[in-house]
Amino acid sequence: MPPQISPPSAKGRFVSFESAPVRPIAETPDGRRVVITNTANNSLDIFDVDQQGALSFSESVPVGVEPVAVAITNNQAWVVNHVSDSISIVDLDVVPAKVVRTLLVGDEPKDIVIAKQKAFISTAHRGQQRMNPALADVEGAGDAQLHTAGVGRGDIWVFDTQNLGASLGGKPLKIVAVFGDTLRGLAVTPDEQTVYAGVFNSGNQTTAVHEAVLCYGYEDDEYGAYPCQALDQISSPNGLADGYLPGGRTAPGTNREGKPQPWTSMIVKYDQASDQWRDSKGRNFSNGIRFTLPDTDVFAIDTESLTETASYAHVGTTLFNLAVNPVSGQVYVSNTEANNATRFEGAGEFTGSTVQGNIARSQISVISPLAAEGQQVSVRPLNTHIDYADLKGNGELKAYTLSTPTQLAVSRDGQWLYNAVIGSNKVAVFPAAQLEQDKYWDGKGGVEQEYSAIAANENHIDVSGGPAGLLLSRQHNALYVYTRFDNSLVRIDRDSHRELQRIALATLEPESFSAGRFMLYDGQRSSSNGEASCASCHIFGDTDHLSWNLGNPDAGNARNPQPFPSQNLSELGCFLVGPDEESCQLLDLINGDGDERTFASMKGPMGTQTMRGMQHHGHMHWRGDRSVGYFGDDHNQTLDEKQSFKNFIVAFEGLLGLDIELPESAKAAEKSSDVIALEQDMDKFANFMLGVALPPNPIRTLDNGLSASAQKGANFFHGERRADGAATDTPLNGDSVDGVNCEGCHGVDHAQGFYGSRGEIAHGGEIQIFKVPQLRNLYTRVGMFGLPDREGFLPSHTKQHQGEQIRGFGFLHDGATDQLLNFLKGGVFDNGEIGCPEGADARFGCHFNTGEIGIPDEVTRQGLVDYMMEFDNDLAPIVGQQVTVNHTTGEAAAQRAKLFEQRAQTPFVSKLLGGAVTECDLIAQGSIAQQNRGYFYLPNEAMYRSDSGNDALISSEDLLALAVMPNNSLTFTCHVPGKGWQIALDRDLDGTLNYDER
């Protein structure tokens, strides 16, 4: 009997990242094996295929953290590890299959294709690997230039599959940057001459005019009924003369009850015909925007020269996957088009405007590379049967709806396009000719000729479990589908559309976590028309990087019960100067009605927040709106995240358009069975979503250090000098402080799970009271440059028109601030020593303070920006990082393993991980003496335990020596603390280790 080895006691809850499958399935050229990236298991699962296409499980190969894509070349599987920022190269020729090399790439890689013996990998334009000195001579490597305009934010790492380079992590031939945001889907032409790359969050030519740039008031009140000049009087191209804006915010300025609403920013959309930025009434606000958005979405890359040869605009807002028709050469792009230029949620009775049930329309866009200029992109809306004017009247039709179309595949004869539609539990099947020809979409043909979503549904295949990836077998008449909700591999007969097999894949996810995943994506469950779901905006649980005006003018104002410890800071101007002081006058307009405790029903534009990492930061929404709601009002200030999350139940009716009548609260005496079922599903949804974490910071150094500039910013952020308020406390406010450093509002306490927010509200000199936001993912907001001068802020360094930019939304609650540097030029942060710059006056806030508080100099200001980019996180930067050691690797690989050991010994505090842990659980997995083995690093002993209870502990030196012996190979991975033991040693945590159970 093997000895029983008790696993370490669990400290924290289960943690996942909800990495989205991109290209999860591939088959070997001979069709005898199918491989799948098992995201939930951190493995590549290999299946044997018989002559009829039937699948039988063969083996599972450990790869990186949350793999999402795979491609096969030279009988090697190249696996994209989304959280590990790595590529695992798996040798399929040996038994057992094993990882023989780990390549290091940019942040959050998503897709991979092989062409001309080169591997093309899509990543974000950031990450520690870019700075590797070994890549100094690689074109495109080095500083990501986060604060520089005109720099592409989407990267493609290109490797020679025959010559990976001797350097640690491999050496790419080139890193190709494109003028778009983070890339996702890739596709390659049959001749392998061109790779197409799609921008994930590409935007839709919308942006927001900053609240302090706009004229006072609304167009229908005494303040905003006439034009005003921008503070800097600069005219943008096609703007009104002399820097004028046409008037105040778009009406109405009151809600249905006649209550005045706050003077917020305002979303505008670029009008192609006039080349102007216009509001929803067509007024020209171009002078309030200092950039243009080309909205370039898809790029063509020549595989020989590795240069961009073409680009295509206006393909969609959020681009998922791409495929090339091998016969026609047309490129298909699955995507959604966001409707964020339309204002308000709710019934739309008072204003006639609502986005209810009309959030993001599902589309297939067709790119014709050989067509004449201007006719190359054709958008095909998939849900033509939906009547968006009938908000809840589509119930009988929603069975035909397609929601969130993801991976695409084209039949070999070019006649059929297959599409995994995760939000509708379908694989949609379209005739390619219908998609490619305008006559089916121009509204000029008869009923039989025009595309009909209802008729098209006859070709579609119902696949339960959330289909998120697919493969059309080249050798068998089979369609293989990966289903994300139940983590299964499904075989479907292409002729009959019958499901022939469903194989449950191994998973590390507990049922209590995964049971709520469907609530994020399932449009059938979420809306009456079947298209809208939470994932329509919160893409894969993250963000669409847009802002939406989702106030509800049909609703009344509410009261804000959240803790407000810095409330007296708002009133210092009144106390110390008098009622004529500018900040004191502002208080009369706070939240629209001058009441600091009001939740205005019309809150203005708000950026879509990530749903990741919400566990310990209090109530949801920018204002903490969900501190009050259906499941309870938090008057006792418990800051209960789960209750706050569940309070979003009202969004299913009010925003997504679900045909349900909710009572006023969960305490209602009588509730329908539909209401009870939705309440139960919300509980599952909360358990799932509150288990999803933000990934490690990709800019902070792997030893968890800060750059010199960021360290200077951190010193000020946490230091004694006050950033805002008064230099000394006054006796007027009792024991309350009258000034704070940055941390005084943006709390940082790893033991409490605070990373910029303690769940409190504060007044930041804006027109509304906001919840203090967390700061862990600000690095993802880079890409908008161009901002006019604003009242209360030092002059903008980007007020001159910046030309073409990548993003329409940047920082703060509404995304209307282009750079954090411009935010930190707020007058409340100015130290007052220099006085007003040339051309500025008191309107810029440069009269504040007296040199005793505020940001002391520009070096510190930039340091704060860099600290925000490298901000603290629940997880150390080392989490997910990998290295493979075998007889082909050099000393650098062994040294990286030593770095991992050092980090695995380094104390780390994280409430998410259960308190006091180390930076990572270090494990080693691979093939030793032609057997799969696993090892877990014991930091206290500085030794490794193997996956056999009969083995003695092994030293680092001996394990590395074992790894470099011929035919052996081990991959070292720094895993999430608390997960390593189960992954490497004891999958079922029963005390009998994995090797002993075989």
PDB file of all heavy atoms in Angstrom, residues 929-959:
ATOM      1  N   ALA A 929      12.119   9.277 -17.451  1.00  0.00           N
ATOM      2  CA  ALA A 929      12.230   7.844 -17.770  1.00  0.00           C
ATOM      3  C   ALA A 929      10.960   7.348 -18.458  1.00  0.00           C
ATOM      4  O   ALA A 929      10.435   6.274 -18.145  1.00  0.00           O
ATOM      5  CB  ALA A 929      12.529   7.025 -16.512  1.00  0.00           C
ATOM      6  N   GLN A 930      10.456   8.182 -19.391  1.00  0.00           N
ATOM      7  CA  GLN A 930       9.292   7.854 -20.213  1.00  0.00           C
ATOM      8  C   GLN A 930       8.026   7.619 -19.381  1.00  0.00           C
ATOM      9  O   GLN A 930       7.145   6.855 -19.749  1.00  0.00           O
ATOM     10  CB  GLN A 930       9.587   6.622 -21.092  1.00  0.00           C
ATOM     11  CG  GLN A 930      10.703   6.881 -22.103  1.00  0.00           C
ATOM     12  CD  GLN A 930      10.937   5.696 -23.015  1.00  0.00           C
ATOM     13  OE1 GLN A 930      10.964   4.560 -22.556  1.00  0.00           O
ATOM     14  NE2 GLN A 930      11.112   5.972 -24.294  1.00  0.00           N
ATOM     15  N   GLN A 931       7.943   8.329 -18.269  1.00  0.00           N
ATOM     16  CA  GLN A 931       6.746   8.299 -17.452  1.00  0.00           C
ATOM     17  C   GLN A 931       6.387   9.730 -17.047  1.00  0.00           C
ATOM     18  O   GLN A 931       7.272  10.551 -16.797  1.00  0.00           O
ATOM     19  CB  GLN A 931       6.945   7.452 -16.194  1.00  0.00           C
ATOM     20  CG  GLN A 931       7.206   5.979 -16.469  1.00  0.00           C
ATOM     21  CD  GLN A 931       7.238   5.177 -15.186  1.00  0.00           C
ATOM     22  OE1 GLN A 931       6.214   4.914 -14.567  1.00  0.00           O
ATOM     23  NE2 GLN A 931       8.432   4.779 -14.775  1.00  0.00           N
ATOM     24  N   ASN A 932       5.086  10.014 -16.997  1.00  0.00           N
ATOM     25  CA  ASN A 932       4.629  11.323 -16.552  1.00  0.00           C
ATOM     26  C   ASN A 932       4.845  11.454 -15.047  1.00  0.00           C
ATOM     27  O   ASN A 932       4.399  10.606 -14.278  1.00  0.00           O
ATOM     28  CB  ASN A 932       3.144  11.511 -16.869  1.00  0.00           C
ATOM     29  CG  ASN A 932       2.882  11.645 -18.346  1.00  0.00           C
ATOM     30  OD1 ASN A 932       3.662  12.263 -19.064  1.00  0.00           O
ATOM     31  ND2 ASN A 932       1.782  11.064 -18.819  1.00  0.00           N
ATOM     32  N   ARG A 933       5.528  12.503 -14.657  1.00  0.00           N
ATOM     33  CA  ARG A 933       5.817  12.715 -13.241  1.00  0.00           C
ATOM     34  C   ARG A 933       5.511  14.165 -12.865  1.00  0.00           C
ATOM     35  O   ARG A 933       5.502  15.078 -13.700  1.00  0.00           O
ATOM     36  CB  ARG A 933       7.289  12.411 -12.926  1.00  0.00           C
ATOM     37  CG  ARG A 933       7.718  10.983 -13.194  1.00  0.00           C
ATOM     38  CD  ARG A 933       6.894   9.955 -12.417  1.00  0.00           C
ATOM     39  NE  ARG A 933       6.921  10.150 -10.985  1.00  0.00           N
ATOM     40  CZ  ARG A 933       7.797   9.565 -10.159  1.00  0.00           C
ATOM     41  NH1 ARG A 933       8.739   8.737 -10.643  1.00  0.00           N
ATOM     42  NH2 ARG A 933       7.726   9.763  -8.862  1.00  0.00           N
ATOM     43  N   GLY A 934       5.291  14.362 -11.565  1.00  0.00           N
ATOM     44  CA  GLY A 934       5.043  15.691 -11.047  1.00  0.00           C
ATOM     45  C   GLY A 934       5.815  15.928  -9.765  1.00  0.00           C
ATOM     46  O   GLY A 934       6.064  14.985  -8.988  1.00  0.00           O
ATOM     47  N   TYR A 935       6.190  17.194  -9.528  1.00  0.00           N
ATOM     48  CA  TYR A 935       6.983  17.559  -8.349  1.00  0.00           C
ATOM     49  C   TYR A 935       6.448  18.877  -7.791  1.00  0.00           C
ATOM     50  O   TYR A 935       6.042  19.775  -8.541  1.00  0.00           O
ATOM     51  CB  TYR A 935       8.463  17.703  -8.704  1.00  0.00           C
ATOM     52  CG  TYR A 935       9.066  16.445  -9.285  1.00  0.00           C
ATOM     53  CD1 TYR A 935       8.980  16.186 -10.659  1.00  0.00           C
ATOM     54  CD2 TYR A 935       9.704  15.505  -8.475  1.00  0.00           C
ATOM     55  CE1 TYR A 935       9.517  15.021 -11.199  1.00  0.00           C
ATOM     56  CE2 TYR A 935      10.253  14.339  -9.011  1.00  0.00           C
ATOM     57  CZ  TYR A 935      10.143  14.110 -10.371  1.00  0.00           C
ATOM     58  OH  TYR A 935      10.669  12.957 -10.913  1.00  0.00           O
ATOM     59  N   PHE A 936       6.473  18.977  -6.481  1.00  0.00           N
ATOM     60  CA  PHE A 936       5.990  20.168  -5.788  1.00  0.00           C
ATOM     61  C   PHE A 936       7.102  20.694  -4.900  1.00  0.00           C
ATOM     62  O   PHE A 936       7.683  19.945  -4.106  1.00  0.00           O
ATOM     63  CB  PHE A 936       4.759  19.827  -4.945  1.00  0.00           C
ATOM     64  CG  PHE A 936       4.192  20.993  -4.178  1.00  0.00           C
ATOM     65  CD1 PHE A 936       3.317  21.870  -4.777  1.00  0.00           C
ATOM     66  CD2 PHE A 936       4.538  21.214  -2.849  1.00  0.00           C
ATOM     67  CE1 PHE A 936       2.781  22.938  -4.073  1.00  0.00           C
ATOM     68  CE2 PHE A 936       4.019  22.285  -2.131  1.00  0.00           C
ATOM     69  CZ  PHE A 936       3.134  23.152  -2.750  1.00  0.00           C
ATOM     70  N   TYR A 937       7.387  21.987  -5.020  1.00  0.00           N
ATOM     71  CA  TYR A 937       8.465  22.601  -4.251  1.00  0.00           C
ATOM     72  C   TYR A 937       7.996  22.939  -2.846  1.00  0.00           C
ATOM     73  O   TYR A 937       6.960  23.605  -2.656  1.00  0.00           O
ATOM     74  CB  TYR A 937       8.956  23.865  -4.960  1.00  0.00           C
ATOM     75  CG  TYR A 937      10.156  24.507  -4.318  1.00  0.00           C
ATOM     76  CD1 TYR A 937      11.405  23.885  -4.331  1.00  0.00           C
ATOM     77  CD2 TYR A 937      10.052  25.753  -3.709  1.00  0.00           C
ATOM     78  CE1 TYR A 937      12.517  24.480  -3.754  1.00  0.00           C
ATOM     79  CE2 TYR A 937      11.155  26.364  -3.123  1.00  0.00           C
ATOM     80  CZ  TYR A 937      12.380  25.707  -3.142  1.00  0.00           C
ATOM     81  OH  TYR A 937      13.486  26.314  -2.563  1.00  0.00           O
ATOM     82  N   LEU A 938       8.729  22.447  -1.862  1.00  0.00           N
ATOM     83  CA  LEU A 938       8.445  22.728  -0.465  1.00  0.00           C
ATOM     84  C   LEU A 938       9.347  23.870  -0.013  1.00  0.00           C
ATOM     85  O   LEU A 938      10.542  23.684   0.208  1.00  0.00           O
ATOM     86  CB  LEU A 938       8.694  21.484   0.391  1.00  0.00           C
ATOM     87  CG  LEU A 938       7.890  20.242   0.000  1.00  0.00           C
ATOM     88  CD1 LEU A 938       8.411  19.003   0.732  1.00  0.00           C
ATOM     89  CD2 LEU A 938       6.410  20.455   0.293  1.00  0.00           C
ATOM     90  N   PRO A 939       8.812  25.071   0.108  1.00  0.00           N
ATOM     91  CA  PRO A 939       9.679  26.233   0.361  1.00  0.00           C
ATOM     92  C   PRO A 939      10.420  26.172   1.693  1.00  0.00           C
ATOM     93  O   PRO A 939      11.554  26.640   1.792  1.00  0.00           O
ATOM     94  CB  PRO A 939       8.711  27.422   0.306  1.00  0.00           C
ATOM     95  CG  PRO A 939       7.353  26.847   0.486  1.00  0.00           C
ATOM     96  CD  PRO A 939       7.405  25.471  -0.059  1.00  0.00           C
ATOM     97  N   ASN A 940       9.808  25.605   2.721  1.00  0.00           N
ATOM     98  CA  ASN A 940      10.481  25.542   4.019  1.00  0.00           C
ATOM     99  C   ASN A 940      11.683  24.608   3.996  1.00  0.00           C
ATOM    100  O   ASN A 940      12.702  24.865   4.645  1.00  0.00           O
ATOM    101  CB  ASN A 940       9.499  25.104   5.105  1.00  0.00           C
ATOM    102  CG  ASN A 940       8.435  26.147   5.373  1.00  0.00           C
ATOM    103  OD1 ASN A 940       8.655  27.335   5.149  1.00  0.00           O
ATOM    104  ND2 ASN A 940       7.274  25.716   5.840  1.00  0.00           N
ATOM    105  N   GLU A 941      11.551  23.523   3.241  1.00  0.00           N
ATOM    106  CA  GLU A 941      12.657  22.559   3.152  1.00  0.00           C
ATOM    107  C   GLU A 941      13.591  22.845   1.983  1.00  0.00           C
ATOM    108  O   GLU A 941      14.670  22.256   1.891  1.00  0.00           O
ATOM    109  CB  GLU A 941      12.100  21.136   3.001  1.00  0.00           C
ATOM    110  CG  GLU A 941      11.332  20.631   4.213  1.00  0.00           C
ATOM    111  CD  GLU A 941       9.877  21.047   4.194  1.00  0.00           C
ATOM    112  OE1 GLU A 941       9.494  21.851   3.320  1.00  0.00           O
ATOM    113  OE2 GLU A 941       9.109  20.565   5.055  1.00  0.00           O
ATOM    114  N   ALA A 942      13.162  23.723   1.064  1.00  0.00           N
ATOM    115  CA  ALA A 942      13.914  23.994  -0.163  1.00  0.00           C
ATOM    116  C   ALA A 942      14.200  22.689  -0.905  1.00  0.00           C
ATOM    117  O   ALA A 942      15.273  22.481  -1.456  1.00  0.00           O
ATOM    118  CB  ALA A 942      15.211  24.744   0.126  1.00  0.00           C
ATOM    119  N   MET A 943      13.199  21.822  -0.916  1.00  0.00           N
ATOM    120  CA  MET A 943      13.293  20.521  -1.582  1.00  0.00           C
ATOM    121  C   MET A 943      11.987  20.289  -2.350  1.00  0.00           C
ATOM    122  O   MET A 943      10.991  20.983  -2.155  1.00  0.00           O
ATOM    123  CB  MET A 943      13.490  19.398  -0.556  1.00  0.00           C
ATOM    124  CG  MET A 943      14.716  19.535   0.336  1.00  0.00           C
ATOM    125  SD  MET A 943      16.227  18.976  -0.440  1.00  0.00           S
ATOM    126  CE  MET A 943      16.055  17.192  -0.206  1.00  0.00           C
ATOM    127  N   TYR A 944      12.019  19.294  -3.235  1.00  0.00           N
ATOM    128  CA  TYR A 944      10.835  18.924  -4.006  1.00  0.00           C
ATOM    129  C   TYR A 944      10.280  17.589  -3.520  1.00  0.00           C
ATOM    130  O   TYR A 944      11.034  16.659  -3.239  1.00  0.00           O
ATOM    131  CB  TYR A 944      11.167  18.804  -5.496  1.00  0.00           C
ATOM    132  CG  TYR A 944      11.442  20.114  -6.195  1.00  0.00           C
ATOM    133  CD1 TYR A 944      12.715  20.695  -6.160  1.00  0.00           C
ATOM    134  CD2 TYR A 944      10.439  20.766  -6.906  1.00  0.00           C
ATOM    135  CE1 TYR A 944      12.970  21.888  -6.818  1.00  0.00           C
ATOM    136  CE2 TYR A 944      10.687  21.964  -7.568  1.00  0.00           C
ATOM    137  CZ  TYR A 944      11.952  22.518  -7.514  1.00  0.00           C
ATOM    138  OH  TYR A 944      12.200  23.696  -8.170  1.00  0.00           O
ATOM    139  N   ARG A 945       8.959  17.493  -3.436  1.00  0.00           N
ATOM    140  CA  ARG A 945       8.299  16.225  -3.203  1.00  0.00           C
ATOM    141  C   ARG A 945       7.760  15.718  -4.536  1.00  0.00           C
ATOM    142  O   ARG A 945       7.167  16.475  -5.304  1.00  0.00           O
ATOM    143  CB  ARG A 945       7.151  16.384  -2.214  1.00  0.00           C
ATOM    144  CG  ARG A 945       6.375  15.064  -1.984  1.00  0.00           C
ATOM    145  CD  ARG A 945       5.233  15.219  -1.007  1.00  0.00           C
ATOM    146  NE  ARG A 945       5.690  15.449   0.351  1.00  0.00           N
ATOM    147  CZ  ARG A 945       6.184  14.520   1.163  1.00  0.00           C
ATOM    148  NH1 ARG A 945       6.315  13.264   0.733  1.00  0.00           N
ATOM    149  NH2 ARG A 945       6.551  14.822   2.383  1.00  0.00           N
ATOM    150  N   SER A 946       7.960  14.443  -4.823  1.00  0.00           N
ATOM    151  CA  SER A 946       7.465  13.871  -6.067  1.00  0.00           C
ATOM    152  C   SER A 946       6.030  13.411  -5.899  1.00  0.00           C
ATOM    153  O   SER A 946       5.458  13.463  -4.797  1.00  0.00           O
ATOM    154  CB  SER A 946       8.342  12.692  -6.488  1.00  0.00           C
ATOM    155  OG  SER A 946       7.965  11.514  -5.789  1.00  0.00           O
ATOM    156  N   ASP A 947       5.443  12.910  -6.988  1.00  0.00           N
ATOM    157  CA  ASP A 947       4.072  12.427  -6.955  1.00  0.00           C
ATOM    158  C   ASP A 947       3.975  10.961  -6.541  1.00  0.00           C
ATOM    159  O   ASP A 947       2.966  10.295  -6.797  1.00  0.00           O
ATOM    160  CB  ASP A 947       3.388  12.648  -8.302  1.00  0.00           C
ATOM    161  CG  ASP A 947       4.132  11.993  -9.449  1.00  0.00           C
ATOM    162  OD1 ASP A 947       5.183  11.365  -9.220  1.00  0.00           O
ATOM    163  OD2 ASP A 947       3.658  12.111 -10.601  1.00  0.00           O
ATOM    164  N   SER A 948       5.027  10.459  -5.893  1.00  0.00           N
ATOM    165  CA  SER A 948       4.983   9.134  -5.287  1.00  0.00           C
ATOM    166  C   SER A 948       5.352   9.247  -3.818  1.00  0.00           C
ATOM    167  O   SER A 948       6.401   9.815  -3.472  1.00  0.00           O
ATOM    168  CB  SER A 948       5.947   8.165  -5.973  1.00  0.00           C
ATOM    169  OG  SER A 948       6.006   6.935  -5.270  1.00  0.00           O
ATOM    170  N   GLY A 949       4.506   8.723  -2.963  1.00  0.00           N
ATOM    171  CA  GLY A 949       4.774   8.784  -1.535  1.00  0.00           C
ATOM    172  C   GLY A 949       5.971   7.970  -1.116  1.00  0.00           C
ATOM    173  O   GLY A 949       6.479   8.140   0.002  1.00  0.00           O
ATOM    174  N   ASN A 950       6.441   7.085  -1.984  1.00  0.00           N
ATOM    175  CA  ASN A 950       7.594   6.244  -1.654  1.00  0.00           C
ATOM    176  C   ASN A 950       8.925   6.926  -1.939  1.00  0.00           C
ATOM    177  O   ASN A 950       9.968   6.433  -1.530  1.00  0.00           O
ATOM    178  CB  ASN A 950       7.527   4.931  -2.443  1.00  0.00           C
ATOM    179  CG  ASN A 950       6.347   4.082  -2.033  1.00  0.00           C
ATOM    180  OD1 ASN A 950       6.114   3.881  -0.850  1.00  0.00           O
ATOM    181  ND2 ASN A 950       5.577   3.601  -3.005  1.00  0.00           N
ATOM    182  N   ASP A 951       8.890   8.050  -2.667  1.00  0.00           N
ATOM    183  CA  ASP A 951      10.129   8.735  -3.033  1.00  0.00           C
ATOM    184  C   ASP A 951      10.595   9.652  -1.905  1.00  0.00           C
ATOM    185  O   ASP A 951       9.781  10.286  -1.223  1.00  0.00           O
ATOM    186  CB  ASP A 951       9.934   9.577  -4.291  1.00  0.00           C
ATOM    187  CG  ASP A 951       9.758   8.732  -5.544  1.00  0.00           C
ATOM    188  OD1 ASP A 951       9.986   7.506  -5.455  1.00  0.00           O
ATOM    189  OD2 ASP A 951       9.397   9.295  -6.585  1.00  0.00           O
ATOM    190  N   ALA A 952      11.902   9.725  -1.728  1.00  0.00           N
ATOM    191  CA  ALA A 952      12.477  10.708  -0.803  1.00  0.00           C
ATOM    192  C   ALA A 952      12.384  12.094  -1.431  1.00  0.00           C
ATOM    193  O   ALA A 952      12.258  12.244  -2.654  1.00  0.00           O
ATOM    194  CB  ALA A 952      13.926  10.349  -0.500  1.00  0.00           C
ATOM    195  N   LEU A 953      12.451  13.128  -0.598  1.00  0.00           N
ATOM    196  CA  LEU A 953      12.508  14.486  -1.122  1.00  0.00           C
ATOM    197  C   LEU A 953      13.758  14.634  -1.980  1.00  0.00           C
ATOM    198  O   LEU A 953      14.786  14.008  -1.728  1.00  0.00           O
ATOM    199  CB  LEU A 953      12.513  15.509   0.008  1.00  0.00           C
ATOM    200  CG  LEU A 953      11.308  15.504   0.958  1.00  0.00           C
ATOM    201  CD1 LEU A 953      11.430  16.644   1.973  1.00  0.00           C
ATOM    202  CD2 LEU A 953      10.000  15.593   0.199  1.00  0.00           C
ATOM    203  N   ILE A 954      13.669  15.476  -2.999  1.00  0.00           N
ATOM    204  CA  ILE A 954      14.784  15.637  -3.931  1.00  0.00           C
ATOM    205  C   ILE A 954      15.198  17.104  -3.954  1.00  0.00           C
ATOM    206  O   ILE A 954      14.363  18.004  -3.931  1.00  0.00           O
ATOM    207  CB  ILE A 954      14.390  15.128  -5.337  1.00  0.00           C
ATOM    208  CG1 ILE A 954      15.586  15.202  -6.290  1.00  0.00           C
ATOM    209  CG2 ILE A 954      13.199  15.877  -5.895  1.00  0.00           C
ATOM    210  CD1 ILE A 954      15.330  14.517  -7.626  1.00  0.00           C
ATOM    211  N   SER A 955      16.477  17.341  -4.014  1.00  0.00           N
ATOM    212  CA  SER A 955      17.000  18.711  -4.012  1.00  0.00           C
ATOM    213  C   SER A 955      16.811  19.351  -5.380  1.00  0.00           C
ATOM    214  O   SER A 955      16.576  18.671  -6.393  1.00  0.00           O
ATOM    215  CB  SER A 955      18.477  18.714  -3.646  1.00  0.00           C
ATOM    216  OG  SER A 955      19.238  18.126  -4.691  1.00  0.00           O
ATOM    217  N   SER A 956      16.928  20.649  -5.411  1.00  0.00           N
ATOM    218  CA  SER A 956      16.817  21.390  -6.666  1.00  0.00           C
ATOM    219  C   SER A 956      17.879  20.937  -7.657  1.00  0.00           C
ATOM    220  O   SER A 956      17.593  20.704  -8.829  1.00  0.00           O
ATOM    221  CB  SER A 956      16.955  22.889  -6.389  1.00  0.00           C
ATOM    222  OG  SER A 956      17.041  23.622  -7.587  1.00  0.00           O
ATOM    223  N   GLU A 957      19.104  20.796  -7.173  1.00  0.00           N
ATOM    224  CA  GLU A 957      20.205  20.402  -8.055  1.00  0.00           C
ATOM    225  C   GLU A 957      19.960  19.024  -8.649  1.00  0.00           C
ATOM    226  O   GLU A 957      20.185  18.793  -9.856  1.00  0.00           O
ATOM    227  CB  GLU A 957      21.532  20.423  -7.296  1.00  0.00           C
ATOM    228  CG  GLU A 957      22.030  21.813  -6.918  1.00  0.00           C
ATOM    229  CD  GLU A 957      21.228  22.456  -5.791  1.00  0.00           C
ATOM    230  OE1 GLU A 957      20.508  21.709  -5.066  1.00  0.00           O
ATOM    231  OE2 GLU A 957      21.281  23.699  -5.656  1.00  0.00           O
ATOM    232  N   ASP A 958      19.480  18.104  -7.819  1.00  0.00           N
ATOM    233  CA  ASP A 958      19.251  16.746  -8.320  1.00  0.00           C
ATOM    234  C   ASP A 958      18.073  16.708  -9.294  1.00  0.00           C
ATOM    235  O   ASP A 958      18.096  15.953 -10.268  1.00  0.00           O
ATOM    236  CB  ASP A 958      19.000  15.791  -7.157  1.00  0.00           C
ATOM    237  CG  ASP A 958      20.268  15.508  -6.349  1.00  0.00           C
ATOM    238  OD1 ASP A 958      21.370  15.805  -6.859  1.00  0.00           O
ATOM    239  OD2 ASP A 958      20.149  15.009  -5.213  1.00  0.00           O
ATOM    240  N   LEU A 959      17.070  17.504  -9.034  1.00  0.00           N
ATOM    241  CA  LEU A 959      15.926  17.508  -9.946  1.00  0.00           C
ATOM    242  C   LEU A 959      16.314  18.110 -11.294  1.00  0.00           C
ATOM    243  O   LEU A 959      15.924  17.602 -12.357  1.00  0.00           O
ATOM    244  CB  LEU A 959      14.765  18.295  -9.342  1.00  0.00           C
ATOM    245  CG  LEU A 959      13.458  18.247 -10.148  1.00  0.00           C
ATOM    246  CD1 LEU A 959      12.942  16.810 -10.264  1.00  0.00           C
ATOM    247  CD2 LEU A 959      12.385  19.144  -9.528  1.00  0.00           C
TER     248      LEU A 959
END
